[in-house]
Amino acid sequence: MPNINDVKCMLIIGSTSGLGRALALSILDLPSKPTVIVCGRRQERLDELVSSHGADGRLRAVKLDVNTDRQTLKAAIDDITRTYPDFDAVMFSSGVQCGSDFSKPETIDLDGFLTEIHTNYTSVLMMITFFLPHLISLGESGRPTFLYTISSGLAIMPSPSVANYSAAKAAIHSLSMALNVQLKEKNVHVVEILPPLVESELHDGQGTTEKLSKVWMPLTEFTKLTMEQLITDAAQIPIGMVAHLYQQHEAGRMEATNKFFEFQKAQINQ
């Protein structure tokens, strides 16, 4: 299976901070010298990235807010495709996280939950749908293309304190496996990254950063371990303690999903 060293131009959604930013800069430093297009809603951070790391012209920036309506999001994706027709890979790194306690249902912020689901799952599903015609076209021409999703160890073992976030990441996990099977014959390669708790701004809004900083994986360590796996042919990349959870609960599921898909096709064609 092709890997990240085959990427010529990668678009990274949600790359102005945290995991997305760190991975964008590491991918920019690959010996293959791909073009990297960073995307996010904060223009000042995009400008800082390009001014600090874009001297050779391989780092570009596009302002994009995933929390918008379907038509606006599709128009933005269509514009990106017209402006950068050479891109052959997309990574989805946007994310928000809300705490919750369902034993106190009066405290549940349903509007916040809907935003969380949209940012972490629904917008990703829509963007994949909008990007696929371009990626499939390139793939069928003989050039490998890629979708990189970022789920979480919480997709395997949910955290009750962030129940909605865990559910959204479980959806990304399931979607990634299904797309991996559906798209492989189109030369579109789906790679899922499953991080543990990692140093991030994600927790600032909940006021849990100080507490979690005592146990999270440093961002530099996460980035190093992830990049080591991205240059392999792995379709699923569990990092740190998630690797143990993966082996315990998920090993063989991708192969089983593929066999189930083949079984379904055979049944339909009978």
Side-chain angles (χ1 to χ4, degrees):
M1 174 177 162
N3 63 44
I4 202 165
N5 285 323
D6 298 295
V7 170
K8 307 300 182 187
C9 179
M10 180 181 285
L11 186 74
I12 304 180
I13 312 293
S15 47
T16 57
S17 65
L19 280 61
R21 185 182 193 278
L23 289 171
L25 294 178
S26 292
I27 292 165
L28 189 70
D29 285 341
L30 285 170
S32 54
K33 296 188 178 301
T35 296
V36 175
I37 306 168
V38 289
C39 296
R41 58 185 173 80
R42 292 175 285 193
Q43 186 66 53
E44 70 280 2
R45 292 201 177 189
L46 293 171
D47 293 342
E48 182 275 326
L49 271 168
V50 173
S51 64
S52 300
H53 303 279
D56 66 356
R58 289 189 298 112
L59 184 65
R60 313 289 177 83
V62 173
K63 187 175 182 180
L64 178 69
D65 187 354
V66 303
N67 281 310
T68 187
D69 63 87
R70 186 188 309 177
Q71 289 73 25
T72 302
L73 189 57
K74 185 178 188 306
I77 299 307
D78 289 345
D79 186 58
I80 289 170
T81 304
R82 284 191 298 269
T83 305
Y84 301 100
D86 198 43
F87 80 85
D88 52 8
V90 186
M91 179 178 287
F92 301 94
S93 185
S94 296
V96 294
Q97 188 180 93
C98 303
S100 59
D101 183 354
F102 280 91
S103 71
K104 301 174 182 176
E106 70 278 2
T107 67
I108 300 300
D109 177 8
L110 290 177
D111 288 335
F113 269 26
L114 289 173
T115 298
E116 186 178 32
I117 285 287
H118 181 76
T119 303
N120 296 331
Y121 178 66
T122 312
S123 70
V124 176
L125 176 66
M126 289 194 294
M127 288 187 286
I128 287 173
T129 304
F130 299 150
F131 280 126
L132 272 176
H134 171 76
L135 295 176
I136 289 174
S137 178
L138 278 183
E140 290 182 332
S141 74
R143 179 174 167 184
T145 63
F146 302 84
L147 291 168
Y148 292 92
T149 61
I150 300 179
S151 61
S152 169
L154 300 182
I156 303 172
M157 186 69 69
S159 169
S161 63
V162 287
N164 194 49
Y165 179 85
S166 299
K169 290 302 184 180
I172 288 289
H173 178 50
S174 181
L175 178 69
S176 299
M177 287 194 292
L179 292 178
N180 183 289
V181 172
Q182 283 192 346
L183 295 173
K184 62 182 180 180
E185 293 183 1
K186 298 293 187 180
N187 205 14
V188 179
H189 304 277
V190 181
V191 179
E192 177 190 6
I193 302 168
L194 296 93
L197 177 64
V198 178
E199 174 187 358
S200 170
E201 295 179 10
L202 188 68
H203 315 287
D204 290 353
Q206 301 175 57
T208 56
T209 297
E210 183 177 354
K211 182 188 300 183
L212 295 178
S213 66
K214 299 174 183 177
V215 294
W216 64 27
M217 175 180 282
L219 182 57
T220 52
E221 181 181 357
F222 164 79
T223 307
K224 176 178 179 293
L225 293 173
T226 301
M227 292 302 299
E228 288 173 356
Q229 292 300 308
L230 285 173
I231 62 173
T232 72
D233 63 356
Q236 293 176 305
I237 302 177
I239 300 296
M241 66 177 293
V242 181
H244 173 71
L245 286 174
Y246 180 87
Q247 287 301 320
Q248 188 174 14
H249 300 286
E250 296 286 320
R253 280 192 68 198
M254 180 68 78
E255 292 78 8
T257 302
N258 187 68
K259 289 179 180 178
F260 183 52
F261 184 60
E262 294 300 324
F263 170 77
Q264 287 179 312
K265 288 197 296 184
Q267 291 293 105
I268 291 171
N269 292 330
Q270 279 185 353

